Amino acid sequence: MQMPKAENTKSQTPGRTSIRRAAASLAKGKLVILPTETVYGLGADARNDDAVRRIFRAKGRPDFNPLIVHIPDIKAAKALAEFNDTAHTLAKAFWPGPLTLVLPKRADSGLSPAVTAGLETVALRAPAHAVMRAVLRESGLPVAAPSANPSGRLSPTEIDHLDPAILREAEMVLDGGPCERGLESTVVLPGKDSVLILRPGVITAEDITERTGLTATDADGEGPAGIRSPGQLLRHYSPKLPLRRNAVRAEEGEFHIGFGTIKGRISLSPAGDLEEAARNLFAALHAAESSGATAIAIAPIPDEGLGRAINDRLIRAAGKSAG
Ligand code: TXA
Ligand code: MG
């Protein structure tokens, strides 16, 4: 069910005052819902143990699944983690932007151990969204922010997608409009001279090779022992209705989401453009959920480039495993 707009009294238009208020709330250990270029995040001061624990509680997130810490730039990142050459190259090429680096945590990082779920590594990202960047600069804090959805549900790419239970736990929401990219960041483990993709996302393996010359391989949720992305073990991105992939046409009761020449009731991209499809994916699934249909059917998405990240989310949404 989509929440009626009137119930959300916490949203504020980003501006100097609201950004200052958001930074002050974070400093006081409150949770703030913040826009990023990928999805909305549920943010807290990553050094504040209580605040970080509140994120886990609000989302119903298992405590073994670590959070991404958001920082404004490489300099701030280097205060929290060790960078090898590959990590440095990646950060220079893609930050600010939707690439998350899993790096060895510095002993003096000051981060709450809950953020990293007790791991020796920390996931860092410098987001590109102007509002998020303004909050990071204003607060001077490393901000832990998972997607602002209850664990196991769809990520919000618009304020209207926010779940009432999440809204209740937040002190305020900065409304940055619809997220430009619409899919979560790519989570990578920088190796000595290659890159392991722990979670496919907005930045593709091809993008990494093209921009840096580094080889990037998909870990397919596995990765070396202890360094896999714990979130990939869960049934993530799960809509409230059963979902059928590769559907050329809809069956009785199904809400059909199209792509390219397959029209559907709504289309991720009539032109068959994968960037547009990624941007529209979660909004389309949210629309299907609140349509009154009993199931969702979605057209085939080519398994190349950004299509791999889209299919990763759809396979999880269609999957049967618990999480
Ligand atoms: O685009 C995004 O990344 C959004 C925005 C808000 O920045 N955030 C996001 O956070 O998607 P979340 O918590 O929904 O997903 C974080 C992913 C999870 O799959 C988690 O397991 C993985 O990153 N992760 C976090 N720390 C890790 C670590 N130290 N090692 C391996 N994977 C890690
Ligand atoms: Mg998430």
Side-chain angles (χ1 to χ4, degrees), residues 79-132:
L80 305 175
E82 310 288 350
F83 275 65
N84 63 14
D85 289 348
T86 305
H88 194 82
T89 302
L90 289 169
K92 280 208 80 129
F94 292 104
W95 284 1
L99 187 75
T100 296
L101 305 179
V102 173
L103 303 169
K105 185 169 68 164
R106 282 177 61 135
D108 61 353
S109 72
L111 295 171
S112 154
V115 168
T116 57
L119 297 174
E120 299 296 309
T121 53
V122 59
L124 297 178
R125 166 164 121 79
H129 197 290
V131 174
M132 181 66 164

Side-chain angles (χ1 to χ4, degrees), residues 34 36 38-42 59 61 64-68 70 98 100 102-103 115-116 119 121-123 125 127 132 145-149 155 183-187 198-199 226-232 236-237:
L34 298 160
T36 84
T38 59
V39 301
Y40 276 82
L42 179 63
K59 282 181 60 85
R61 184 176 177 110
F64 63 80
N65 192 10
L67 308 179
I68 295 173
H70 299 74
T100 296
V102 173
L103 303 169
V115 168
T116 57
L119 297 174
T121 53
V122 59
R125 166 164 121 79
M132 181 66 164
S147 48
N149 50 292
S155 296
L183 256 195
E184 293 89 347
S185 65
T186 306
V187 179
L198 301 178
R199 176 180 73 178
I227 330 190
R228 59 179 58 135
S229 187
Q232 292 297 86
H236 247 189
Y237 319 108

Side-chain angles (χ1 to χ4, degrees), residues 127-259:
H129 197 290
V131 174
M132 181 66 164
R133 296 184 63 70
V135 172
L136 290 171
R137 273 197 305 269
E138 178 73 26
S139 69
L141 297 169
V143 173
S147 48
N149 50 292
S151 193
R153 297 251 79 96
L154 297 169
S155 296
T157 55
E158 299 170 22
I159 290 297
D160 284 354
H161 298 161
L162 290 170
D163 187 287
I166 296 284
L167 264 176
R168 238 187 339 265
E169 299 301 322
E171 175 89 347
M172 64 180 283
V173 181
L174 283 180
D175 184 353
C179 300
E180 200 185 321
R181 307 305 297 266
L183 256 195
E184 293 89 347
S185 65
T186 306
V187 179
V188 301
L189 183 69
K192 200 162 163 290
D193 33 38
S194 64
V195 183
L196 192 63
I197 298 179
L198 301 178
R199 176 180 73 178
V202 170
I203 308 261
T204 64
E206 293 87 337
D207 292 334
I208 292 175
T209 305
E210 206 173 288
R211 296 267 285 271
T212 65
L214 293 160
T215 319
T217 36
D218 244 301
D220 288 323
E222 284 304 310
I227 330 190
R228 59 179 58 135
S229 187
Q232 292 297 86
L233 303 172
L234 303 169
R235 180 186 171 188
H236 247 189
Y237 319 108
S238 159
K240 290 175 183 156
L241 302 176
L243 182 141
R244 188 165 65 86
R245 296 172 61 227
N246 300 319
V248 175
R249 61 186 68 75
E251 284 168 15
E252 177 98 23
E254 282 181 338
F255 185 101
H256 194 200
I257 300 174
F259 176 81

